[in-house]
Amino acid sequence: MAIIDRIKEKARADVKRIVLPEGDEPRTVQAAAKIRDQGLAELILLGDPAKIQAVAAEKGADISGIQIVNPADSPKAAEYASQLFEIRKAKGMTEEEAAKKVADPMYYGIMMVKLGDADGLVSGAVHSTGDMLRPALQIIKAKPGMKTVSSCFLMECPNKALGQDGVLIFSDCAVIPCPTADELANIAAAAADSARSLGGIAQPKVAMLSFSTKGSAKHDLVTKVQEATAKAHELFPELMLDGELQLDAAIVPAVGELKAKGSPVAGHANVLVFPDLQAGNIGYKLVQRFAGAEAYGPILQGIAKPCNDLSRGCSVEDIVATVAITAAQAQ
Ligand code: ACO
């Protein structure tokens, strides 16, 4: 069974409430009808009900039974504004600014998740990555025990010899441009969690990638990955993790045996941690385009409650898949 179908099964088994702030966006409305039909989540669409119903009628999408909330006249708006003010006042937000912010469906949706009125959020068909990430980072924040929020891609490769039956986690590919050694260690732990919760990988094997294997090259960039590896061992001793490893040493058994003999990870990695965002973002796209892998993401990880971003070029099916992933993370 394809990994996305397994995630959909998981979502259906314990249905969660997912808020969609871009409630009147046509692909979102079409996806909402499919999500309801497939029983993947209990949805809340944000926006003007008349506008949302008009879009649904135009697209022939049956959204009957789906909750619609208009942040502009919601009875919850005052409570959300007061809570937002409490969260952000130390950063200079005034009560008036907080009231204005919660009239924006993106902030309203984030507050719903923060206060437990929704279990997760999916947005980004209209908003840019930064516009969605900033309020999520400022309000939802990292989960306890994590210093930083990062992201991963769930990759499903045609070559089933790689990872676990072709399934791997790539991280970080979308959030932290230049991670410190500490941040890389946090990314590694969060990526291992993503492997377990989304990839169905019972034993994550985490490779800290570099252009060097076990000191074969000397450079400040290599030193950073070595420090991150040591930090990850110190902070998360239960992780099966090794570094620094070149990509081939991480995933090809014969090369791993040659370059990193005795490593519990080399040759068999199913979680790849990239040294920075340039490598991670280019890396997942190379595998997607050259190897024909399915790439699901970016999926936020290390965040206290699940919030996920869509590409502005997303399809209806991409929105359905992202809602299923978010619902599975919320369990
Ligand atoms: N984890 C936790 N908190 C964070 C993180 C993080 N990784 N990054 C920022 N924050 C917090 C900050 O501490 C700050 O909190 P505070 O206001 O309470 O002090 C708040 O978020 C805002 O921080 P800034 O540094 O001001 O945020 P900024 O808006 O400059 O940047 C962002 C954050 C948007 C995530 C930035 O790092 C970014 O642009 N990353 C790259 C995103 C991107 O373009 N990705 C590639 C495209 S996606 C794709 O191709 C699939």
Side-chain angles (χ1 to χ4, degrees):
M1 186 190 277
I3 188 71
I4 193 62
D5 292 326
R6 272 191 269 153
I7 289 174
K8 285 180 178 177
E9 267 193 359
K10 190 174 175 188
R12 270 191 289 268
D14 176 14
V15 173
K16 294 293 172 188
R17 299 159 303 162
I18 306 298
V19 58
L20 305 177
E22 296 161 336
D24 58 13
E25 192 281 320
R27 287 162 297 171
T28 304
V29 174
Q30 289 170 281
K34 289 189 176 223
I35 291 159
R36 193 208 53 178
D37 290 349
Q38 295 176 33
L40 299 175
E42 192 184 309
L43 292 178
I44 303 133
L45 294 175
L46 299 186
D48 175 357
K51 198 165 171 200
I52 293 172
Q53 293 296 357
V55 173
E58 190 195 321
K59 294 289 172 190
D62 178 5
I63 57 164
S64 51
I66 294 178
Q67 193 186 349
I68 298 177
V69 173
N70 189 355
D73 62 16
S74 157
K76 286 256 183 184
E79 179 197 340
Y80 289 177
S82 133
Q83 291 291 330
L84 177 60
F85 170 65
E86 286 304 318
I87 295 166
R88 298 299 296 170
K89 67 183 178 191
K91 295 283 171 180
M93 187 179 279
T94 64
E95 287 182 84
E96 293 71 35
E97 282 166 350
K100 224 184 223 171
K101 287 275 188 208
V102 298
D104 172 346
M106 180 63 74
Y107 275 82
Y108 189 96
I110 294 279
M111 289 308 295
M112 284 187 82
V113 176
K114 177 74 178 178
L115 299 180
D117 290 334
D119 302 308
L121 172 145
V122 173
S123 180
V126 181
H127 291 80
S128 70
T129 299
D131 286 347
M132 184 267 160
L133 277 182
R134 222 165 279 116
L137 296 174
Q138 290 174 344
I139 296 166
I140 309 270
K141 300 180 189 284
K143 64 164 78 158
M146 279 284 155
K147 281 192 188 143
T148 185
V149 174
S150 58
S151 76
C152 69
F153 273 80
L154 176 61
M155 306 295 293
E156 187 168 39
C157 305
N159 180 353
K160 301 297 173 201
L162 297 170
Q164 179 172 293
D165 293 331
V167 173
L168 296 98
I169 290 288
F170 284 18
S171 185
D172 174 10
C173 307
V175 176
I176 306 177
C178 296
T180 61
D182 254 22
E183 287 173 330
L184 270 182
N186 272 260
I187 290 169
D193 274 350
S194 297
R196 276 187 285 264
S197 66
L198 297 175
I201 295 172
Q203 179 52 266
K205 295 177 185 168
V206 185
M208 305 295 280
L209 297 182
S210 171
F211 59 84
S212 165
T213 299
K214 301 284 181 184
S216 64
K218 307 245 174 293
H219 192 280
D220 287 351
L221 293 172
V222 175
T223 306
K224 182 173 90 169
V225 180
Q226 290 168 339
E227 286 172 4
T229 304
K231 195 80 194 173
H233 283 311
E234 180 194 323
L235 293 175
F236 311 102
E238 72 292 349
L239 273 187
M240 192 179 280
L241 172 146
D242 203 9
E244 84 289 7
L245 295 170
Q246 285 161 287
L247 190 268
D248 54 354
I251 62 168
V252 181
V255 182
E257 177 67 17
L258 190 74
K259 293 188 173 181
K261 204 172 175 51
S263 165
V265 169
H268 305 281
N270 47 35
V271 177
L272 304 182
V273 174
F274 292 86
D276 68 21
L277 197 51
Q278 307 251 34
N281 193 270
I282 295 167
Y284 97 79
K285 286 177 198 242
L286 282 173
V287 175
Q288 181 185 36
R289 301 291 170 181
F290 280 82
E294 293 292 340
Y296 299 99
I299 302 165
L300 284 193
Q301 58 185 18
I303 189 162
K305 296 191 175 174
C307 294
N308 283 312
D309 185 35
L310 297 161
S311 151
R312 275 173 284 178
C314 66
S315 65
V316 171
E317 274 316 313
D318 292 334
I319 301 175
V320 173
T322 306
V323 167
I325 287 168
T326 308
Q329 284 180 300
Q331 288 170 355

